[in-house]
Amino acid sequence: MNLNKFKKTIGKTNPEKGLRDLAGARKAEYHHNDQGAIRVKGKYISHDYDRFGRVFGITAYLLAWLYVPCTVLSFFLPPGSIWNPFSIFLTGMFAVHGFALVADGLRNSNAPWAMKGIKIYWMGVILLIVLSMIISMLPKG
C-alpha cells in the first residue's frame, strides 16, 4: 500500500469545493440585476408585485372587513334564518383564507394585504367570542 499517495490526497485543499453551498453564492446566469431580489433557499424572490396577486390579496382584506360585521349582525336575525352566525363564520373563513392562499401563490409568498385580512378576520372573530361570553354571563332581567 502506497501511503505517500494517500497523504497527498488528504493534504490537498480545494478552496472552490464547497462554495456553491454558501448563502450568497450564485452563478452569473442566475443572478438577477434587480436590487430588490432576495435569495431564499436557492430561489430569488423579487419584490415585483403581480397584479392578480394584489387583486386577490385586497379582496381577502375587504372580505375580512365584510364578514366580521356580518357575523355580528347575524346574531340579530330570526332563529329560522338560513344565515346563522356559524354559517357566516364558515363562509367568511373559507373565503378569506381561500383568497389569501391564491394571492400568496401568485405573489411568491409576499402577500401583505392577504395576511392583514387574515389577521383582521381572526381578531374580529376572537373579539366576537369574548363579547358573546361576557354578554352570556350578564344577569338576565
Side-chain angles (χ1 to χ4, degrees), residues 81-97:
S81 176
I82 191 170
W83 296 108
N84 59 11
F86 187 67
S87 66
I88 291 180
F89 163 73
L90 285 179
T91 307
M93 183 183 69
F94 287 126
V96 170
H97 285 77

mmCIF file of all heavy atoms in Angstrom, residues 81-97:
data_model
loop_
_atom_site.group_PDB
_atom_site.id
_atom_site.type_symbol
_atom_site.label_atom_id
_atom_site.label_comp_id
_atom_site.label_asym_id
_atom_site.label_seq_id
_atom_site.Cartn_x
_atom_site.Cartn_y
_atom_site.Cartn_z
ATOM 1 N N SER A 81 -83.695 31.609 10.294
ATOM 2 C CA SER A 81 -82.998 32.116 9.108
ATOM 3 C C SER A 81 -81.882 31.178 8.671
ATOM 4 O O SER A 81 -81.266 30.479 9.481
ATOM 5 C CB SER A 81 -82.413 33.499 9.409
ATOM 6 O OG SER A 81 -81.664 33.956 8.315
ATOM 7 N N ILE A 82 -81.624 31.165 7.373
ATOM 8 C CA ILE A 82 -80.550 30.316 6.844
ATOM 9 C C ILE A 82 -79.173 30.898 7.183
ATOM 10 O O ILE A 82 -78.182 30.184 7.233
ATOM 11 C CB ILE A 82 -80.720 30.139 5.323
ATOM 12 C CG1 ILE A 82 -79.785 29.049 4.816
ATOM 13 C CG2 ILE A 82 -80.450 31.443 4.593
ATOM 14 C CD1 ILE A 82 -80.025 28.636 3.391
ATOM 15 N N TRP A 83 -79.121 32.192 7.431
ATOM 16 C CA TRP A 83 -77.843 32.845 7.738
ATOM 17 C C TRP A 83 -77.619 32.897 9.238
ATOM 18 O O TRP A 83 -77.730 33.938 9.859
ATOM 19 C CB TRP A 83 -77.806 34.250 7.143
ATOM 20 C CG TRP A 83 -77.871 34.248 5.669
ATOM 21 C CD1 TRP A 83 -78.928 34.631 4.905
ATOM 22 C CD2 TRP A 83 -76.870 33.807 4.776
ATOM 23 N NE1 TRP A 83 -78.637 34.454 3.591
ATOM 24 C CE2 TRP A 83 -77.374 33.953 3.476
ATOM 25 C CE3 TRP A 83 -75.589 33.296 4.938
ATOM 26 C CZ2 TRP A 83 -76.646 33.609 2.368
ATOM 27 C CZ3 TRP A 83 -74.864 32.951 3.818
ATOM 28 C CH2 TRP A 83 -75.387 33.102 2.559
ATOM 29 N N ASN A 84 -77.322 31.776 9.837
ATOM 30 C CA ASN A 84 -76.988 31.793 11.260
ATOM 31 C C ASN A 84 -75.517 32.179 11.427
ATOM 32 O O ASN A 84 -74.752 32.158 10.459
ATOM 33 C CB ASN A 84 -77.303 30.445 11.918
ATOM 34 C CG ASN A 84 -76.545 29.305 11.288
ATOM 35 O OD1 ASN A 84 -75.642 29.512 10.507
ATOM 36 N ND2 ASN A 84 -76.928 28.096 11.629
ATOM 37 N N PRO A 85 -75.097 32.567 12.606
ATOM 38 C CA PRO A 85 -73.718 33.046 12.795
ATOM 39 C C PRO A 85 -72.648 32.026 12.421
ATOM 40 O O PRO A 85 -71.599 32.383 11.890
ATOM 41 C CB PRO A 85 -73.653 33.371 14.285
ATOM 42 C CG PRO A 85 -75.046 33.629 14.681
ATOM 43 C CD PRO A 85 -75.894 32.755 13.821
ATOM 44 N N PHE A 86 -72.921 30.744 12.657
ATOM 45 C CA PHE A 86 -71.910 29.730 12.346
ATOM 46 C C PHE A 86 -71.708 29.579 10.841
ATOM 47 O O PHE A 86 -70.575 29.433 10.374
ATOM 48 C CB PHE A 86 -72.318 28.383 12.966
ATOM 49 C CG PHE A 86 -71.261 27.334 12.828
ATOM 50 C CD1 PHE A 86 -70.052 27.451 13.491
ATOM 51 C CD2 PHE A 86 -71.467 26.237 12.016
ATOM 52 C CE1 PHE A 86 -69.069 26.495 13.360
ATOM 53 C CE2 PHE A 86 -70.494 25.269 11.881
ATOM 54 C CZ PHE A 86 -69.296 25.397 12.553
ATOM 55 N N SER A 87 -72.801 29.656 10.061
ATOM 56 C CA SER A 87 -72.645 29.534 8.607
ATOM 57 C C SER A 87 -71.914 30.746 8.025
ATOM 58 O O SER A 87 -71.099 30.610 7.109
ATOM 59 C CB SER A 87 -74.001 29.347 7.928
ATOM 60 O OG SER A 87 -74.793 30.506 8.085
ATOM 61 N N ILE A 88 -72.169 31.924 8.572
ATOM 62 C CA ILE A 88 -71.451 33.114 8.093
ATOM 63 C C ILE A 88 -69.984 33.042 8.506
ATOM 64 O O ILE A 88 -69.090 33.423 7.741
ATOM 65 C CB ILE A 88 -72.130 34.394 8.608
ATOM 66 C CG1 ILE A 88 -73.475 34.542 7.919
ATOM 67 C CG2 ILE A 88 -71.270 35.621 8.353
ATOM 68 C CD1 ILE A 88 -74.246 35.749 8.314
ATOM 69 N N PHE A 89 -69.724 32.531 9.703
ATOM 70 C CA PHE A 89 -68.339 32.347 10.139
ATOM 71 C C PHE A 89 -67.586 31.401 9.200
ATOM 72 O O PHE A 89 -66.478 31.705 8.758
ATOM 73 C CB PHE A 89 -68.310 31.802 11.568
ATOM 74 C CG PHE A 89 -66.990 31.208 11.965
ATOM 75 C CD1 PHE A 89 -65.901 32.022 12.219
ATOM 76 C CD2 PHE A 89 -66.829 29.833 12.055
ATOM 77 C CE1 PHE A 89 -64.674 31.479 12.581
ATOM 78 C CE2 PHE A 89 -65.619 29.283 12.405
ATOM 79 C CZ PHE A 89 -64.532 30.101 12.668
ATOM 80 N N LEU A 90 -68.188 30.262 8.872
ATOM 81 C CA LEU A 90 -67.513 29.302 7.981
ATOM 82 C C LEU A 90 -67.340 29.861 6.572
ATOM 83 O O LEU A 90 -66.280 29.698 5.958
ATOM 84 C CB LEU A 90 -68.304 27.995 7.929
ATOM 85 C CG LEU A 90 -68.191 27.091 9.142
ATOM 86 C CD1 LEU A 90 -69.039 25.849 8.957
ATOM 87 C CD2 LEU A 90 -66.747 26.715 9.392
ATOM 88 N N THR A 91 -68.369 30.521 6.063
ATOM 89 C CA THR A 91 -68.263 31.117 4.729
ATOM 90 C C THR A 91 -67.156 32.165 4.690
ATOM 91 O O THR A 91 -66.352 32.208 3.755
ATOM 92 C CB THR A 91 -69.602 31.755 4.319
ATOM 93 O OG1 THR A 91 -70.637 30.796 4.471
ATOM 94 C CG2 THR A 91 -69.562 32.229 2.889
ATOM 95 N N GLY A 92 -67.111 33.014 5.698
ATOM 96 C CA GLY A 92 -66.073 34.036 5.761
ATOM 97 C C GLY A 92 -64.690 33.441 5.903
ATOM 98 O O GLY A 92 -63.729 33.899 5.279
ATOM 99 N N MET A 93 -64.579 32.411 6.733
ATOM 100 C CA MET A 93 -63.269 31.787 6.932
ATOM 101 C C MET A 93 -62.746 31.189 5.624
ATOM 102 O O MET A 93 -61.597 31.415 5.243
ATOM 103 C CB MET A 93 -63.361 30.702 7.998
ATOM 104 C CG MET A 93 -62.025 30.049 8.306
ATOM 105 S SD MET A 93 -62.137 28.727 9.499
ATOM 106 C CE MET A 93 -63.017 27.503 8.571
ATOM 107 N N PHE A 94 -63.604 30.436 4.933
ATOM 108 C CA PHE A 94 -63.154 29.821 3.681
ATOM 109 C C PHE A 94 -62.888 30.866 2.600
ATOM 110 O O PHE A 94 -61.952 30.737 1.814
ATOM 111 C CB PHE A 94 -64.167 28.787 3.193
ATOM 112 C CG PHE A 94 -64.160 27.527 4.008
ATOM 113 C CD1 PHE A 94 -65.326 27.043 4.569
ATOM 114 C CD2 PHE A 94 -62.983 26.830 4.224
ATOM 115 C CE1 PHE A 94 -65.322 25.884 5.326
ATOM 116 C CE2 PHE A 94 -62.967 25.676 4.984
ATOM 117 C CZ PHE A 94 -64.135 25.198 5.538
ATOM 118 N N ALA A 95 -63.696 31.922 2.555
ATOM 119 C CA ALA A 95 -63.491 32.956 1.535
ATOM 120 C C ALA A 95 -62.193 33.725 1.781
ATOM 121 O O ALA A 95 -61.377 33.896 0.862
ATOM 122 C CB ALA A 95 -64.684 33.913 1.518
ATOM 123 N N VAL A 96 -61.999 34.185 3.006
ATOM 124 C CA VAL A 96 -60.799 34.989 3.317
ATOM 125 C C VAL A 96 -59.536 34.146 3.144
ATOM 126 O O VAL A 96 -58.570 34.576 2.505
ATOM 127 C CB VAL A 96 -60.891 35.571 4.746
ATOM 128 C CG1 VAL A 96 -59.578 36.178 5.176
ATOM 129 C CG2 VAL A 96 -61.988 36.610 4.818
ATOM 130 N N HIS A 97 -59.538 32.929 3.681
ATOM 131 C CA HIS A 97 -58.345 32.098 3.575
ATOM 132 C C HIS A 97 -58.124 31.605 2.145
ATOM 133 O O HIS A 97 -56.982 31.463 1.704
ATOM 134 C CB HIS A 97 -58.439 30.920 4.538
ATOM 135 C CG HIS A 97 -58.207 31.317 5.954
ATOM 136 N ND1 HIS A 97 -59.169 31.952 6.703
ATOM 137 C CD2 HIS A 97 -57.134 31.179 6.750
ATOM 138 C CE1 HIS A 97 -58.689 32.185 7.901
ATOM 139 N NE2 HIS A 97 -57.457 31.732 7.966
#
